[in-house]
Amino acid sequence: MTPPVGGVRAVLACDGVASRLGGVAVLQAIDLEVGAGEVVGLIGPSGAGKSTLFAVLAGELRPDAGRVWLGGREVTSEPLWRRARAGLGWVPQTPSVLLDLDVADNLRTFERAARVAPRPPHERAAELGLAGALGTRARSLSGGERRRLELLRALVAAPKALLCDEPLAGLDGALAALVLRRLRREAEAGAAVVIADHRLTELLPACDRVLRLVGGRLEAADTVESVAADPGRRAAYEA
């Protein structure tokens, strides 16, 4: 069983997770718990291991040690597709749109894969300002448009837990705010949301709490206010 988070059982959790890549310890004894309705900011300098941790939680990468839990069930040995069907959404840092399909067909493909009832694609696209691009092939979208499409696909199945790795990449301030409001709504609907991004000015106000990943170790939680008020600390995480 997973431990409680603030009196509510964790939707997404891991304990003792360690990972080595090329002989280097990238993650060391990571313990993490995220409850329903939470938005957790995962911050740290480049190379701290944030993307590796997300890959382990999502099932793309098997940890060398430790366990992963989703919805109170251990999923350490389960692949990405099985975790997705169990309620995990993931927006990886690396591009993942289906380039030869237009926006509408990208969304339809993920609806079929997630086995959810289809919605008119313009309704989904309108949530993040892509309704005017439904017939545009993904390869012709800008980087910011592709990022929003990737997020929309992850939201298709109303995930129980959602991992977002650099979701604000390529977005201007107004679009970044739109994305964060949408993620906040997902949490308000009961999802556990974890966001890693270097744009702390936009990210911090959207978070309930902040965790630091430094040198492969997850450090004690910071309050959003303490990070926002410390220019030196923020500079280290924004790099």
Side-chain angles (χ1 to χ4, degrees), residues 154-177:
L155 293 171
V156 157
K160 299 175 184 176
L162 180 62
L163 304 170
C164 296
D165 196 354
E166 302 287 348
L168 308 183
L171 304 183
D172 63 24
L175 289 173

Side-chain angles (χ1 to χ4, degrees), residues 15 24 29 75 82 115 121 128 179 187 219 223:
D15 59 85
V24 177
V75 295
R82 191 178 295 276
R115 300 178 179 176
L128 292 181
V179 163
E219 299 183 350
T223 65

Side-chain angles (χ1 to χ4, degrees), residues 7 17 20 42 50 53 57 65 67 76 89 101 109 112 120 130 151-152 154 158 185 224 233:
V17 161
R20 299 182 68 87
L42 180 63
K50 300 185 297 296
L53 176 58
L57 294 173
R67 300 176 297 172
T76 311
L101 299 183
T109 297
R112 290 193 293 269
L130 288 177
L151 178 55
L152 285 172
R185 290 201 306 273
V224 171
R233 182 181 295 177

Side-chain angles (χ1 to χ4, degrees), residues 75-161:
V75 295
T76 311
S77 62
E78 295 187 4
L80 188 156
W81 68 267
R82 191 178 295 276
R83 295 187 203 191
R85 288 187 175 174
L88 181 69
W90 184 34
V91 181
Q93 186 178 32
T94 53
S96 61
V97 294
L98 303 174
L99 295 175
D100 289 331
L101 299 183
D102 63 22
V103 169
D105 282 338
N106 262 273
L107 295 173
R108 292 189 186 103
T109 297
F110 270 67
E111 285 178 334
R112 290 193 293 269
R115 300 178 179 176
V116 299
R119 277 176 54 195
H122 72 272
E123 291 183 4
R124 293 196 187 278
E127 293 180 354
L128 292 181
L130 288 177
L134 283 175
T136 302
R137 285 198 178 190
R139 69 172 61 256
S140 298
L141 298 174
S142 69
E145 288 170 331
R146 293 184 190 184
R147 206 71 185 127
R148 284 179 281 155
L149 176 56
E150 288 163 343
L151 178 55
L152 285 172
R153 294 185 319 177
L155 293 171
V156 157
K160 299 175 184 176

Side-chain angles (χ1 to χ4, degrees), residues 31-97:
D31 296 331
L32 173 67
E33 303 168 2
V34 187
E38 276 199 299
V39 177
V40 175
L42 180 63
I43 64 176
S46 296
K50 300 185 297 296
S51 294
T52 301
L53 176 58
F54 277 179
V56 168
L57 294 173
E60 184 183 59
L61 180 66
R62 183 75 178 267
D64 294 305
R67 300 176 297 172
V68 179
W69 305 79
L70 176 63
R73 181 170 63 87
E74 186 178 355
V75 295
T76 311
S77 62
E78 295 187 4
L80 188 156
W81 68 267
R82 191 178 295 276
R83 295 187 203 191
R85 288 187 175 174
L88 181 69
W90 184 34
V91 181
Q93 186 178 32
T94 53
S96 61
V97 294

